[in-house]
Amino acid sequence: MAVNCKFMVLSIDGVPFGLMERMLREGVMLNLAGLVERWGMRQMRSVQPTVSCVAWSSYMTGCNPGKHGIFGFVDRRPHSYDLAFPNARMMAVENIWQVLSRADKRVFGMNVPATYPPRPVNGVLIGGFLAPTVDKAAYPAGVNDYLKSIDYQIDSDAALGRKDKRAMLVNLDKTLSKRMEAMFYFLEAERWDFFHTHIMGSDRINHFLLEKMEEGDAEFGPAFFDYYRKIDGYIGRLLEKTGSEAPLMIFSDHGFCPIKQEVQLSRYLIERGWTALADQVQHPLSINPEKSKAYCLIPGRVFVNLQGREPQGIVPIEEYQQTREALKRDLLELREPRTGDKVIEKVLMREELYWPRGCQGVCEVAPEQAARAEGTYGKAADLIAVPYDGYDLKLGLAGQVLFQKTELEGMHTYADAFMIARDVELPENDLEILMLARPILKRWGVEPPADMDGEGKAITNWN
Ligand SMILES: [Zn+2]
């Protein structure tokens, strides 16, 4: 029986366009291939820095990070050297489930990063990997009882990727099958106007098995594709149930590539005299502020220790711009000693990459004004280092080595997410993830919030 769903979204975290092309060609994604044959597939750009929660925040708000306020997996608390783990509470603007709810649409969202804690909506919102337990994952709270009854998994156990890859695969399968069980349950339960389910396990398997897959490892190569074959099986069932007409988007939030080296960027800033360590290193911001002109957070987000902004800042505002120029030169000089290859492709100033609320598109913000900005925009890093694909920017504050290779096999890439859309009017050129909220709202004739980006000039223009 066909279910009653007017707009369906299935997001598959971190699947690169090129890998998807290969899996379509080689028959791994057979059901999806039928859809692509009719509707095509496009490449889509992510966000900077290319972190899932930043990308999904931009998707669900249609805004750049300068407006929604989520810049990474960890952020610096303003005016402090403390860390914050950004969640939906810190998102400064409404998400599409809320906007659609206000227009009386019936909405569903499950497992999308940066939706925990779930905001009240006209429907159901189930938080993603930051939800501590199933008891607290969903709005309305009654939904948690159902989730518990089927042993729903909020996320797979990422630590298994380093310890035991076979156990990781079993765990990924279970997480996926429970997610899909819940998806079909809710899909059949009532009529939906907007229904979005997210699969996170693809990001995990790409982090830990991407090289083995590419090298054609006898055990983990086929296991990698088996996981995607299972996703495709669920897609087949989904297509059957939703019919062949209803608007549908299947897409990822960023691409992936094999890691050549992990780069401990804090070590480099220490070597170059920018950062000095605290006597005891306890967390990523354990610096000695009296001796640090700059410090960083992953991936590649560099902050100036500015007088009057940071609690013990030492760089006067008059030296802000020259300090950033000097940092930029140093960052661009970083090379991998073994190959001599450059690590950093470009370094962007916060005002080149982000724009504040009340502003459409990258607008002129003078450096000193940018330095002193408050609110969501003021949370941005002062410089954002964008690496060449293959160099995964980490922190390594307390470690000894600058370059290393670990169990981690894949890293996120900016330029190559994929998008398959059936009967959805998307911008024709240069698709970016922050452009998706507008077409979804347009489908319903719902007016986008006044400050929403994603149209005309209001896109990333630094490429
Ligand atoms: Zn990831």
Side-chain angles (χ1 to χ4, degrees), residues 206-211 256-259 392 408-412:
N206 292 353
H207 273 300
F208 290 105
L209 289 179
L210 195 71
E211 275 178 338
F256 249 92
C257 74
I259 295 173
D392 198 8
L408 213 53
E409 299 193 353
M411 65 174 276
H412 299 183

Side-chain angles (χ1 to χ4, degrees), residues 86-132:
N87 60 28
R89 219 171 269 133
M90 294 173 210
M91 199 181 289
V93 285
E94 282 191 321
N95 64 39
I96 41 170
W97 293 277
Q98 291 176 291
V99 178
L100 286 167
S101 292
R102 272 199 286 107
D104 273 339
K105 302 301 170 198
R106 191 74 183 152
V107 298
F108 176 87
M110 177 161 58
N111 202 249
V112 184
T115 52
Y116 178 83
R119 294 175 173 187
V121 293
N122 177 29
V124 173
L125 203 50
I126 301 169
F129 59 78
L130 286 178

Side-chain angles (χ1 to χ4, degrees), residues 3 5-10 183 187 193-197 238 241-242 246-251 422 424:
V3 295
C5 176
K6 293 197 176 142
F7 195 125
M8 168 83 66
V9 175
L10 179 69
M183 176 178 77
L187 191 58
D193 294 310
F194 179 70
F195 191 98
H196 182 164
T197 304
L238 192 64
K241 284 188 182 291
T242 53
L248 163 75
M249 297 196 302
I250 299 181
F251 64 96
R422 178 173 74 194
V424 185

Side-chain angles (χ1 to χ4, degrees), residues 273-275 291-295 303-306 314-315 319 323:
W274 291 106
T275 304
K291 292 181 181 161
S292 299
K293 281 187 161 184
Y295 55 93
F303 296 84
V304 173
N305 191 22
L306 191 68
I314 59 169
V315 176
E319 290 171 25
T323 302

Side-chain angles (χ1 to χ4, degrees), residues 265-458:
L265 203 60
S266 277
R267 297 310 313 166
Y268 185 60
L269 294 182
I270 291 166
E271 275 177 24
R272 291 282 172 134
W274 291 106
T275 304
L277 287 181
D279 292 338
Q280 285 201 330
V281 176
Q282 283 156 336
H283 63 72
L285 290 180
S286 294
I287 58 163
N288 177 344
E290 283 160 19
K291 292 181 181 161
S292 299
K293 281 187 161 184
Y295 55 93
C296 73
L297 284 177
I298 58 166
R301 291 179 291 155
V302 181
F303 296 84
V304 173
N305 191 22
L306 191 68
Q307 251 174 34
R309 186 182 72 183
E310 268 71 1
Q312 290 162 272
I314 59 169
V315 176
I317 185 80
E318 302 77 44
E319 290 171 25
Y320 177 68
Q321 187 59 351
Q322 71 198 63
T323 302
R324 287 198 303 173
E325 293 294 348
L327 273 163
K328 178 174 175 173
R329 280 194 299 276
D330 268 5
L331 288 163
L332 289 171
E333 271 174 26
L334 177 55
R335 283 172 191 273
E336 184 187 346
R338 214 163 34 89
T339 59
D341 289 344
K342 288 182 77 172
V343 169
I344 309 286
E345 186 183 356
K346 49 194 149 201
V347 179
L348 296 152
M349 305 297 177
R350 61 157 66 163
E351 66 274 21
E352 289 179 284
L353 191 50
Y354 305 124
W355 55 97
R357 296 176 82 174
C359 176
Q360 283 290 315
V362 179
C363 50
E364 297 290 318
V365 181
E368 288 193 7
Q369 196 190 342
R372 291 199 175 106
E374 294 284 336
T376 51
Y377 184 74
K379 287 181 173 179
D382 295 299
L383 304 103
I384 296 89
V386 180
Y388 285 100
D389 287 353
Y391 294 107
D392 198 8
L393 299 184
K394 301 290 197 208
L395 198 69
L397 203 59
Q400 293 301 320
V401 293
L402 181 48
F403 290 91
Q404 71 185 129
K405 191 83 177 79
T406 69
E407 283 294 307
L408 213 53
E409 299 193 353
M411 65 174 276
H412 299 183
T413 52
Y414 167 73
D416 58 340
F418 79 92
M419 164 60 74
I420 299 162
R422 178 173 74 194
D423 198 21
V424 185
E425 222 180 291
L426 296 177
E428 275 172 27
N429 304 310
D430 296 332
L431 191 60
E432 298 189 19
I433 195 162
L434 75 66
M435 294 172 170
L436 301 179
R438 276 179 179 273
I440 292 171
L441 296 177
K442 194 176 169 197
R443 188 81 207 180
W444 300 113
V446 173
E447 193 63 31
D451 212 14
M452 186 179 274
D453 296 321
E455 196 173 48
K457 220 158 58 71

